[in-house]
Amino acid sequence: MRSDEARPADQTIGARSASAETGIESHLHESRIFEARKDFGASVGGAYVRNLKEYRARFKRSIEDPEGFWGEIARQFDWFQPWTKVLQWDLPDAQWFVGGKTNICHNCIDRQVLQGHGNEVAIVWEGEPELTRDAASAPRFEVRHLTYSDLLAEVSAFANVLKSLGVRKGDVVTLYMGMVPELAIAMLACARIGAAHSVIFGGFAAAAIVDRVQDAGSKIIVTCDGAWRRGSIVPLKANVDAACEQLPDVRHVITLRRTKNDVTWFAERDHWWHDLTRAASRDCPCEWCDSEDLLYLLYTSGSTGKPKGIRHTTGGYMVYTATTAKEVFNLVPGHGQLYWATADIGWVTGHSYVVYGMLPNRVPSLMYEGAPNAPAEDRFWDIIERHRVTHFYTAPTAIRAFMKWGNEHPLKHNLTSLKVLGSVGEPINPEAWMWYYQTIGGGRCPIVDTWWQTETGGHMITPLPAATPLVPGSCTLPFFGVDAAIVNEKGEEQPPNTGGLLVIRKPWPSMLRGIHGDRERYIDTYWSRVPGMYLAGDGARRDERGYFWIMGRIDDVINVSGHRLGTMEVESALVAHDAVVEAAVVGVPHEIKGTGVAAFVTLGPGFTPSEALRKDLIEHVGKEIGAIAKPDMLRFTQTLPKTRSGKIMRRLLRDIAAGRDTRQDTTTLEDFTVLAKLRESDE
Ligand code: PRX
């Protein structure tokens, strides 16, 4: 760290506080502050928000006059018919750009072509190098550059394919694919014809497909024969086939050939992507979509066993994701920028900041297939060097893994093309932040630590690269129009450095429009605990300078490697196994993943704990949900500790899993011997 970059913050350090009401604890220890670089704007072709004063002025306006603020921004997009009202807010239902007709696919692609930029690159894709399949040879890179004109042709063709199979406006198309450009093409094709998509992460198992397809009422699935990951094939089509055994309403499955593995063919429902698109016209006009027409469903975990289908609509989502992408990453077209978010499109980061928020900004977005450590642990740095990536957006869990793999990997590569670094998905620990800043960013690149959620659609609390002084570990200040606050259960704002509930008090354009098919759950989850405010489900505090510090989830959701997982989903998977009668799952601190999965399991009569059964149960969870949910620790126990009212004492289990002292706080235990038994239980 250069001494002119790090100055002590003017805040109390070493203090620790807790809110009596919410019980959310806060640990203050960060004293480093990195002022925004004055020359940042010049290095990227101009900064949109040049300093904190400009940020504060625009923020004030955005809160005092949201309709004026967002109306002006929205007018920079193409609309087929203007809106009559910017915002209609009937708590908890927002409508943005009421009556406006547009099409997000048009704004992503056609607009660029119409404005003469058809030959510019929109998507750069790099497949998993073939080296991993044939270790003797040099890596053979498979790279594709898709221009806006290429996208227009391919998206239009696939849109016609969907239409020819009977997909109509409002239908939900399920996409369960690997990280190939055709996934983005399929999403945009749905948007083009006004159909909604529901992307299922390719790492999820067949059972997860069944739940999501049924809940969405989807009759068509688009998949790949397989996906490459570390030299092996993830059998996507086989997973779809297995799911379809329980999905009689699925009429069509379209399969893209990627890995050329053998697939089972069901003539009555199966089609090859290449057969259908070869025959399709490349001309498909965009459907006029209402601002509030459903754009997509994206399933995410909540505190019950059933994932919720978050609904995002067209106009507000389009305006907000493109605007946050532009200002948070400071994207400037025509200045040689190349942006790379490493997220899989199966998560919201991929939706908003690989595809929809990116294309309207005319800065190419890089997509990659595979894994960060195959063929070698320098894969990411190699990609950055070869492609001259300027903007790099990844998750703290990945950063911690890179740190562990060693500095020699990034140091082998020239990373001087980088201008902006981003972090998302979980709190970034200051140690990882410093490593990212110095080793990857060379002490030059601002880190935008973006706090947001599947539900928020876009960035909510984040630095702006030319304006916001950075403090490692803090996501800093709210984006324009975001009225974020830390409150107690009564909705009263908490004093500085007091832990509380993170809420948003005003609607924002890309907010979720509900949970698919479950109005009650929408209201219960987000709008009931603190009436009148959106409850994010995170505990947080604000420091004296108004910076936000996220302290973690307040519900039964855990954040495993930046992926959101409901502990009850894992519990349901465990009890679905013949041997298990009861299971409790909690998060446990994990060096790389941030949070790992710890499971406590009670076996049924006739089953005895064994290493083989432990392995079997862990694999079983992998099969039911996907590899990300596999417990890192699984303990057998004769009973689970419960309160007198029968609730599992999760806090106690968390302490036991983390190896913390559990002697206090046990007065409400139903059976004190349980604790002793848990301590003795085999591990
Ligand atoms: O707990 C917060 C954490 O991830 C949750 C949202 O998860 P998901 O909907 O899967 O979206 C992840 C990608 C946007 C939040 O409730 N989270 C996300 N970003 C951050 C974060 N926690 C701390 N700092 C962040 N930057």
Side-chain angles (χ1 to χ4, degrees):
M1 185 193 319
R2 288 211 324 261
S3 57
D4 58 336
E5 286 165 345
R7 296 183 196 107
D10 51 359
Q11 65 180 49
T12 329
I13 57 169
R16 181 177 170 171
S17 67
S19 158
E21 285 158 285
T22 59
I24 296 168
E25 276 195 6
S26 122
H27 301 263
L28 311 183
H29 50 75
E30 190 48 62
S31 59
R32 289 163 291 200
I33 180 160
F34 295 81
E35 298 294 342
R37 287 172 50 135
K38 300 247 178 321
D39 58 350
F40 173 80
S43 75
V44 291
Y48 295 108
V49 184
R50 287 172 298 184
N51 51 50
L52 216 46
K53 198 164 157 236
E54 281 185 12
Y55 160 79
R56 292 206 193 283
R58 276 186 71 192
F59 182 75
K60 187 164 181 281
R61 154 111 209 274
S62 72
I63 296 294
E64 287 171 1
D65 176 22
E67 297 200 39
F69 182 87
W70 288 112
E72 265 166 37
I73 292 180
R75 270 192 286 280
Q76 296 161 22
F77 292 76
D78 284 353
W79 295 81
F80 303 136
Q81 179 182 297
W83 58 88
T84 51
K85 195 167 190 296
V86 172
L87 170 65
Q88 176 68 40
W89 178 225
D90 303 303
L91 195 139
D93 298 302
Q95 291 177 68
W96 282 88
F97 312 112
V98 182
K101 305 274 182 212
T102 186
N103 187 295
I104 194 168
C105 180
H106 169 95
N107 278 281
C108 285
I109 304 175
D110 303 49
R111 177 182 155 104
Q112 316 291 14
V113 175
L114 291 169
Q115 293 184 353
H117 303 293
N119 290 333
E120 291 178 20
V121 174
I123 291 178
V124 180
W125 174 80
E126 176 152 334
E128 182 164 279
E130 294 194 15
L131 176 70
T132 47
R133 274 107 79 185
D134 173 11
S137 59
R140 262 172 301 155
F141 300 111
E142 199 181 348
V143 176
R144 284 169 67 187
H145 289 91
L146 287 101
T147 64
Y148 291 97
S149 297
D150 296 335
L151 274 185
L152 182 59
E154 300 215 20
V155 167
S156 300
F158 197 65
N160 281 326
V161 164
L162 292 174
K163 283 209 260 187
S164 73
L165 296 180
V167 176
R168 297 285 169 260
K169 195 169 176 208
D171 291 349
V172 181
V173 176
T174 295
L175 309 177
Y176 176 71
M177 304 173 76
M179 279 292 280
V180 285
E182 285 78 3
L183 171 51
I185 289 168
M187 291 162 80
L188 290 157
C190 291
R192 195 167 186 86
I193 61 172
H197 52 73
S198 165
V199 179
I200 302 178
F201 170 53
F204 279 136
I209 305 177
V210 173
D211 291 347
R212 287 160 175 76
V213 168
Q214 272 171 347
D215 188 82
S218 184
K219 298 188 173 58
I220 175 162
I221 303 178
V222 186
T223 188
C224 302
D225 50 358
W228 288 115
R229 193 162 166 84
R230 297 195 181 95
S232 26
I233 291 173
V234 183
L236 297 175
K237 168 74 162 76
N239 290 346
V240 169
D241 291 342
C244 281
E245 285 173 22
Q246 292 171 64
L247 295 169
D249 292 339
V250 171
R251 288 206 285 267
H252 301 288
V253 173
I254 304 175
T255 303
L256 177 86
R257 191 136 68 195
R258 167 67 190 134
T259 46
K260 303 197 177 76
N261 52 317
D262 286 337
V263 291
T264 314
W265 208 248
F266 299 87
E268 67 285 4
R269 66 164 188 255
D270 277 335
H271 314 266
W272 283 113
W273 173 295
H274 54 267
D275 284 343
L276 297 177
T277 47
R278 198 184 300 127
S281 153
R282 258 108 185 109
D283 182 22
C284 176
C286 283
E287 188 76 31
W288 283 33
C289 292
D290 190 90
S291 216
E292 287 300 335
D293 277 348
L294 184 66
L295 174 64
Y296 69 76
L297 296 178
L298 183 57
Y299 285 83
T300 188
S301 297
S303 43
T304 72
K306 191 172 169 270
K308 41 197 184 187
I310 301 299
R311 293 174 65 89
H312 280 294
T313 58
T314 303
Y317 179 85
M318 170 178 86
V319 170
Y320 193 83
T321 54
T323 305
T324 44
K326 174 180 166 184
E327 308 229 7
V328 172
F329 298 118
N330 209 90
L331 301 175
V332 187
H335 278 76
Q337 295 186 346
L338 174 61
Y339 161 99
W340 179 23
T342 65
D344 192 288
I345 288 181
W347 308 101
V348 73
T349 307
H351 283 59
S352 299
Y353 300 112
V354 175
V355 182
Y356 289 120
M358 292 307 303
L359 295 170
N361 281 300
R362 214 157 54 71
V363 164
S365 172
L366 191 145
M367 265 176 89
Y368 94 107
E369 176 199 47
N373 56 354
E377 283 156 352
D378 68 341
R379 172 126 197 251
F380 279 12
W381 323 126
D382 174 50
I383 290 181
I384 291 173
E385 181 174 16
R386 272 187 296 109
H387 293 274
R388 308 293 296 153
V389 170
T390 54
H391 293 65
F392 179 64
Y393 191 30
T394 196
T397 185
I399 297 167
R400 289 189 295 267
F402 303 144
M403 288 169 75
K404 196 166 177 194
W405 295 340
N407 285 3
E408 64 270 25
H409 302 296
L411 292 179
K412 272 203 304 246
H413 293 278
N414 180 349
L415 305 179
T416 53
S417 57
L418 289 170
K419 304 275 190 212
V420 179
L421 301 175
S423 174
V424 60
E426 51 179 315
I428 180 165
N429 45 311
E431 196 195 351
W433 194 101
M434 288 305 303
W435 183 88
Y436 196 29
Y437 186 74
Q438 288 174 323
T439 311
I440 304 308
R444 299 180 322 277
C445 308
I447 297 179
V448 288
D449 174 6
T450 59
W451 176 85
W452 60 295
Q453 310 177 290
T454 306
E455 291 87 340
T456 69
H459 300 147
M460 299 296 277
I461 307 181
T462 173
L464 299 177
T468 316
L470 306 171
V471 180
S474 168
C475 52
T476 75
L477 298 167
F479 190 74
F480 304 126
V482 175
D483 186 15
I486 309 296
V487 300
N488 62 15
E489 302 277 347
K490 286 183 240 147
E492 294 157 348
E493 203 156 351
Q494 298 286 82
N497 289 321
T498 307
L501 307 168
L502 175 56
V503 294
I504 315 293
R505 296 180 294 199
K506 278 189 162 60
W508 65 100
S510 66
M511 65 190 284
L512 77 165
R513 301 300 199 266
I515 294 175
H516 191 61
D518 203 339
R519 174 84 183 159
E520 221 175 287
R521 193 173 177 194
Y522 172 62
I523 291 170
D524 281 357
T525 311
Y526 306 109
W527 302 99
S528 300
R529 190 157 158 193
V530 189
M533 301 180 191
Y534 169 81
L535 183 78
D538 280 339
R541 69 177 168 91
R542 262 187 122 156
D543 65 19
E544 296 85 350
R545 60 172 60 231
Y547 276 24
F548 284 83
W549 295 79
I550 306 297
M551 284 137 58
R553 300 286 309 184
I554 52 167
D555 51 12
D556 292 328
V557 169
I558 54 179
N559 202 320
V560 180
S561 301
H563 298 319
R564 201 160 137 178
L565 194 64
T567 50
M568 278 183 65
E569 285 172 66
V570 186
E571 289 165 6
S572 311
L574 283 166
V575 296
H577 190 285
D578 286 345
V580 178
V581 285
E582 203 174 25
V585 167
V586 294
V588 58
H590 188 284
E591 194 194 349
I592 302 289
K593 297 179 173 184
T595 306
V597 179
F600 294 84
V601 166
T602 308
L603 297 177
F607 292 93
T608 42
S610 71
E611 204 39 49
L613 182 56
R614 184 202 315 277
K615 283 207 182 99
D616 185 37
L617 290 175
I618 292 172
E619 283 312 309
H620 171 78
V621 173
K623 265 193 235 118
E624 287 284 308
I625 304 175
I628 56 161
K630 281 188 191 176
D632 298 281
M633 171 207 255
L634 189 144
R635 283 185 174 195
F636 297 108
T637 170
Q638 283 167 18
T639 38
L640 289 167
K642 291 190 183 147
T643 59
R644 292 193 191 287
S645 61
K647 278 178 122 181
I648 292 177
M649 300 180 73
R650 288 172 185 282
R651 190 146 68 92
L652 179 61
L653 292 178
R654 273 196 291 272
D655 285 345
I656 294 171
R660 282 193 286 266
D661 186 8
T662 52
R663 269 166 301 184
Q664 327 97 8
D665 287 341
T666 53
T667 41
T668 46
L669 264 183
E670 174 88 331
D671 174 3
F672 282 89
T673 59
V674 168
L675 185 58
K677 280 184 195 149
L678 278 170
R679 284 217 172 122
E680 286 161 12
S681 64
D682 74 324
E683 185 158 20

